[in-house]
Amino acid sequence: MRISVIGCGYLGAVHAAAMAKLGHDVVGIDVDERKIAELKAGRAPFFEPGLPELLTEVQKTGRLTFSTEMADAAGAVVHFVCVGTPQRKGENAADLRFVDAAFTSLAEHLKSGDVVVGKSTVPVGTAARLADEVQAIAPEAVLAWNPEFLREGHAVKDTLTPDRFVYGVPSGAKGEAATAAMDKVYATPLAAGTPRLVVDYATAELVKTAANSFLATKISFINAMAEVCEAAGADVTALADAIGMDERIGRKFLNAGVGFGGGCLPKDIRAFMARAGELGADQALTFLREVDAINMRRRARVVELTRELCGGSLIGKRITVLGAAFKPQSDDVRDSPALSVAAQLQLQGATVTVTDPEALANAKQRFPELSYEPDTKTAIARAHALVLLTEWQEYRELDPAAVGNQVDEKNVLDGRNVLDPGAWRQAGWTYKGIGRP
Ligand code: UDX
């Protein structure tokens, strides 16, 4: 099929390459000239495992092109809208300006029979509004909403072999046409058994926000348990293992630590609360306020624990923060708990050095006042305390004996509970985890 992908960020760039891999002819479109230049050269504009290899592979086939001109979408019959929906400045609500601009500019190039597929995470009700707009400009085109559940760091796999497809479509012939078009696009994963659910627009939009809210709630639940464990002298990691063995609960997303960040979970739960308020259903989501509060409290607690580890004051202490990305296998620092803690430590008088295998360039842009050191060994040298905040494999595997010879004081705060407390203590370290005795 001939496909256009509007917006070539984490979602769109991977989607464009994955659709070409599935055998389609794809044009990726973005207003950002730098991003398009990189993609045209076969380079990923951000760190995502597997994406450079996928880009190289599909570009050889000639099935993947990139452009900054929306007019180049005119040759396609299915158009995926993959632009961002960040948090509005000073508000909880989502900022839909990129979605609106993409639709306005795409609409004038639509032909009879074209299918527009929204993938961006939007407040419920957006698809119905956009369907009216599409209808007014291109009455024979149809809109579908097909939310994306990809995780950064696993984006290629999540796109090519997702857990499920959700199609939000209108009723009647238009809905059937949209369903048939998406079935054709996803023929390969569907044939391999990926389930698909066909629902209305509002349900499709809500599936995405509900899924992210559930994940955020699961993380905040275990972080709340960590608070109680800290007060009671219990171990939250053993608690998570034990409750996670109940299949109804499951062990995934029960890792207590510095909490969740990134470009999705924090802003999505806030936008969901804001939208529920507009719909008169705000009471239903007041628990998400608590989820958000527990999550933010973790950051303050990690700063507090670091102060305790440093003997009661951060002033003049050299602290090495291991990790800047919001999670490993990503260079994304949007709402990164690691950077938020690093900045707080510095504001409270510490001299902070941040290290990360992939995210330092992005981190520098966001927090230019912090010091950055790409080499782990150099970053660690002469520290009074190590604070592990993003669980890259390299940090999980640090040898406490070897690292002990490089620092000035053997204090370690394991903000993701991934180090072996016994091994570190044995090597003479004062070890502190999250919700662990
Ligand atoms: C998330 C959803 O998982 C994905 O389905 C959706 O499409 C986009 O948002 P992503 O933001 O890439 O994906 O990251 P995710 O793997 O969900 O992690 C989010 C945050 O939660 C990270 O900061 C991570 O460190 C944190 N986390 C995750 C925990 O603190 N504990 C856990 O047990 C799991």
Side-chain angles (χ1 to χ4, degrees):
M1 295 195 91
R2 276 170 297 131
I3 290 175
S4 80
V5 176
I6 322 296
C8 290
Y10 286 97
L11 166 58
V14 177
H15 194 68
M19 293 305 102
K21 164 93 178 167
L22 293 180
H24 305 298
D25 275 321
V26 184
V27 56
I29 296 173
D30 200 293
V31 291
D32 184 337
E33 287 179 8
R34 189 197 62 87
K35 216 180 263 175
I36 291 300
E38 288 288 291
L39 286 164
K40 270 186 174 166
R43 288 190 296 267
F46 47 84
F47 176 78
E48 180 62 41
L51 182 58
E53 295 79 2
L54 181 63
L55 282 170
T56 312
E57 181 191 333
V58 292
Q59 284 199 331
K60 276 191 214 136
T61 66
R63 290 199 300 267
L64 180 62
T65 55
F66 291 97
S67 168
T68 51
E69 296 299 323
M70 189 61 94
D72 289 327
V77 291
V78 178
H79 309 271
F80 286 99
V81 177
C82 298
V83 295
T85 51
Q87 187 173 339
R88 230 184 267 165
K89 285 217 161 39
E91 284 179 56
N92 272 348
D95 185 346
L96 292 180
R97 88 176 84 158
F98 304 113
V99 172
D100 288 335
F103 269 83
T104 307
S105 124
L106 174 64
E108 57 184 285
H109 302 289
L110 293 176
K111 318 169 290 299
S112 173
D114 278 9
V115 180
V116 183
V117 184
K119 289 195 85 65
S120 310
T121 302
V122 290
V124 58
T126 305
R129 171 174 70 77
L130 292 170
D132 288 344
E133 280 178 32
V134 169
Q135 168 80 22
I137 300 169
E140 297 307 320
V142 47
L143 176 73
W145 216 266
N146 169 221
E148 180 56 60
F149 303 96
L150 68 79
R151 297 158 300 166
E152 287 176 26
H154 305 267
V156 172
K157 183 184 154 287
D158 285 353
T159 306
L160 286 169
T161 52
D163 291 340
R164 77 301 211 183
F165 291 108
V166 176
Y167 300 173
V169 297
S171 55
K174 278 199 162 184
E176 282 163 23
T179 300
M182 285 185 283
D183 278 353
K184 230 168 142 181
V185 170
Y186 299 132
T188 308
L190 286 172
T194 304
R196 76 145 162 64
L197 290 104
V198 182
V199 295
D200 52 58
Y201 286 147
T203 307
E205 292 165 319
L206 281 174
V207 168
K208 174 62 194 248
T209 28
N212 276 356
S213 299
F214 193 87
L215 294 172
T217 303
K218 213 172 169 190
I219 300 167
S220 277
F221 173 83
I222 202 64
N223 280 329
M225 291 307 109
E227 289 184 16
V228 180
C229 284
E230 272 163 28
D235 186 340
V236 76
T237 56
L239 181 139
D241 289 343
I243 63 170
M245 283 173 192
D246 183 331
E247 273 181 22
R248 296 169 301 173
I249 296 173
R251 180 63 178 84
K252 287 180 185 161
F253 271 69
L254 278 185
N255 295 320
V258 70
F260 61 81
C264 292
L265 298 191
K267 64 108 176 150
D268 285 351
I269 60 169
R270 291 173 194 153
F272 197 19
M273 285 186 271
R275 184 64 185 138
E278 288 168 4
L279 293 169
D282 43 344
Q283 236 188 336
L285 298 188
T286 46
F287 76 96
L288 285 180
R289 253 179 243 292
E290 201 51 44
V291 166
D292 204 353
I294 293 167
N295 192 51
M296 298 316 275
R297 212 150 65 213
R298 283 290 86 186
R299 300 179 184 188
R301 179 70 183 140
V302 167
V303 174
E304 203 45 56
L305 284 171
T306 311
R307 189 201 325 280
E308 284 173 23
L309 198 59
C310 290
S313 170
L314 290 165
I315 295 167
K317 297 291 180 184
R318 282 188 298 279
I319 294 179
T320 302
V321 169
L322 300 168
F326 83 104
K327 68 174 192 182
Q329 300 302 319
S330 172
D331 65 354
D332 196 345
V333 299
R334 286 176 293 171
D335 204 356
S336 167
L339 281 185
S340 154
V341 167
Q344 267 306 314
L345 292 171
Q346 176 136 312
L347 282 173
Q348 295 189 25
T351 303
V352 177
T353 303
V354 181
T355 186
D356 189 287
E358 295 293 340
L360 291 192
N362 287 340
K364 255 178 228 171
Q365 277 190 353
R366 190 131 315 192
F367 285 97
E369 65 275 25
L370 291 168
S371 299
Y372 298 97
E373 170 53 57
D375 179 63
T376 312
K377 207 169 164 192
T378 314
I380 282 172
R382 304 213 47 230
H384 295 117
L386 306 183
V387 183
L388 191 162
L389 297 176
T390 314
E391 67 277 33
W392 288 94
Q393 197 59 29
E394 180 190 344
Y395 306 147
R396 287 169 177 262
E397 288 170 0
L398 283 174
D399 171 7
V403 178
N405 294 327
Q406 293 153 21
V407 295
D408 269 13
E409 285 174 22
K410 291 190 195 177
N411 295 313
V412 63
L413 177 67
D414 182 3
R416 295 286 183 178
N417 287 346
V418 290
L419 303 176
D420 174 358
W424 283 75
R425 285 185 182 131
Q426 190 125 44
W429 288 78
T430 303
Y431 169 96
K432 254 185 197 303
I434 305 291
R436 294 174 120 175

